[in-house]
Amino acid sequence: MVVLQNVNKHFGDLHVLRDINLTVGRGEVVVVIGPSGSGKSTLCRTINRLETIESGSITIDGRSLPEDGKELAALRAEVGMVFQSFNLFAHKTILENVTLAPIMVRGTPVAVAEKRALELLERVGVAPQAQKLPGQLSGGQQQRVAIARSLAMDPKVMLLDEPTSALDPEMTTEVLEVMVRLAEDGMTMVVVTHEMGFARKAAHRVVFMADGQIVEQADPATFFTAPSSARAKDFLGSVLRH
């Protein structure tokens, strides 16, 4: 579904992605972990061209990532993105937030879009909040709305960039439960997270990054019990101690 080949990215003199090669299969859940500054979020953001790349190639469902314009917009419509900061429209109701893109981008009739949106809000557990504004919801509820909003476009793949890092532990649990259900339903997902429990439970593959490179990747059982690199062992030692 997603293929990155020899992808490189700089921010000035900083080489943030170094010859990245990564393939994500249809229905696969890939969790990207690593220390801060390792390039995880940048990697996630290149997949729908929120960040451009200097060299290499990225394809989604067999199609190369367009440079810009209508083709890029069409491809982005097939790639759901969930950020750590929710990014909901503060002046629109929860229902309006979820129906906006299907109506404006896909031309979905309002009644059809609203029916689908209510189904999705029910799925993520916030249907009773449909007529409220985002500011009236908790952070965990807002993030679940953001997930529903992405799902409303029927994406081929979902990118989740630190979706729980702005949340307290109770809200984090709420959001992770929704993500686990998505994974179980077969959604193709690339998830950047510090939540090792989610990686153990839902990932098909864990990708460990450091210094802009993919250091190693393995299934969760292998990675968490027998990491092959010293860098991954050090990282796991520090995060699992705390």
Side-chain angles (χ1 to χ4, degrees):
M1 181 59 76
V2 180
V3 179
L4 291 83
Q5 291 184 306
N6 301 316
V7 168
N8 283 274
K9 168 74 179 175
H10 290 78
F11 289 128
D13 293 333
L14 190 62
H15 198 170
V16 288
L17 295 179
R18 301 169 179 262
D19 296 318
I20 297 292
N21 290 286
L22 179 66
T23 299
V24 181
R26 193 179 304 275
E28 188 177 20
V29 178
V30 171
V31 171
V32 184
I33 65 172
S36 296
S38 58
K40 307 183 300 295
S41 289
T42 303
L43 170 68
C44 194
R45 292 167 65 87
T46 61
I47 295 175
N48 67 348
R49 212 173 176 79
L50 285 175
E51 296 287 356
T52 56
I53 60 174
E54 278 110 38
S55 63
S57 66
I58 300 174
T59 60
I60 296 174
D61 201 16
R63 289 189 293 153
S64 295
L65 216 52
E67 290 289 324
D68 49 32
K70 286 185 177 179
E71 286 187 6
L72 180 59
L75 192 68
R76 278 190 179 148
E78 297 180 342
V79 180
M81 183 95 196
V82 178
F83 304 89
Q84 66 184 63
S85 54
F86 322 140
N87 289 7
L88 300 175
F89 292 108
H91 62 292
K92 292 188 178 292
T93 66
I94 296 310
L95 185 63
E96 288 169 338
N97 265 278
V98 178
T99 59
L100 186 66
I103 292 168
M104 300 294 290
V105 178
R106 293 262 163 86
T108 305
V110 174
V112 175
E114 288 186 347
K115 182 175 183 291
R116 171 72 171 147
L118 288 169
E119 289 170 356
L120 290 169
L121 290 171
E122 183 72 40
R123 182 175 173 185
V124 300
V126 287
Q129 321 298 330
Q131 298 305 326
K132 293 183 179 178
L133 294 172
Q136 297 173 280
L137 274 61
S138 71
Q141 289 173 322
Q142 289 188 61
Q143 192 61 294
R144 285 184 280 159
V145 172
I147 291 172
R149 180 179 60 179
S150 285
L151 290 172
M153 293 294 282
D154 292 318
K156 292 180 176 178
V157 57
M158 283 188 67
L159 311 174
L160 298 100
D161 183 14
E162 300 279 14
T164 60
S165 64
L167 304 176
D168 66 31
E170 187 177 352
M171 293 178 189
T172 293
T173 300
E174 292 176 12
V175 173
L176 290 175
E177 285 173 355
V178 171
M179 290 164 57
V180 168
R181 290 201 300 273
L182 277 180
E184 290 171 348
D185 290 344
M187 173 61 72
T188 306
M189 299 164 69
V190 178
V191 185
V192 175
T193 187
H194 291 293
E195 296 295 331
M196 298 301 130
F198 174 79
R200 287 178 186 269
K201 187 172 185 178
H204 295 107
R205 186 157 35 112
V206 176
V207 172
F208 175 72
M209 290 186 69
D211 304 318
Q213 295 175 299
I214 293 177
V215 177
E216 66 175 286
Q217 46 187 314
D219 64 90
T222 302
F223 180 78
F224 285 108
T225 57
S228 61
S229 66
R231 193 71 198 268
K233 287 173 186 170
D234 289 346
F235 175 78
L236 288 174
S238 65
V239 296
L240 297 179
R241 265 201 309 273
H242 293 95

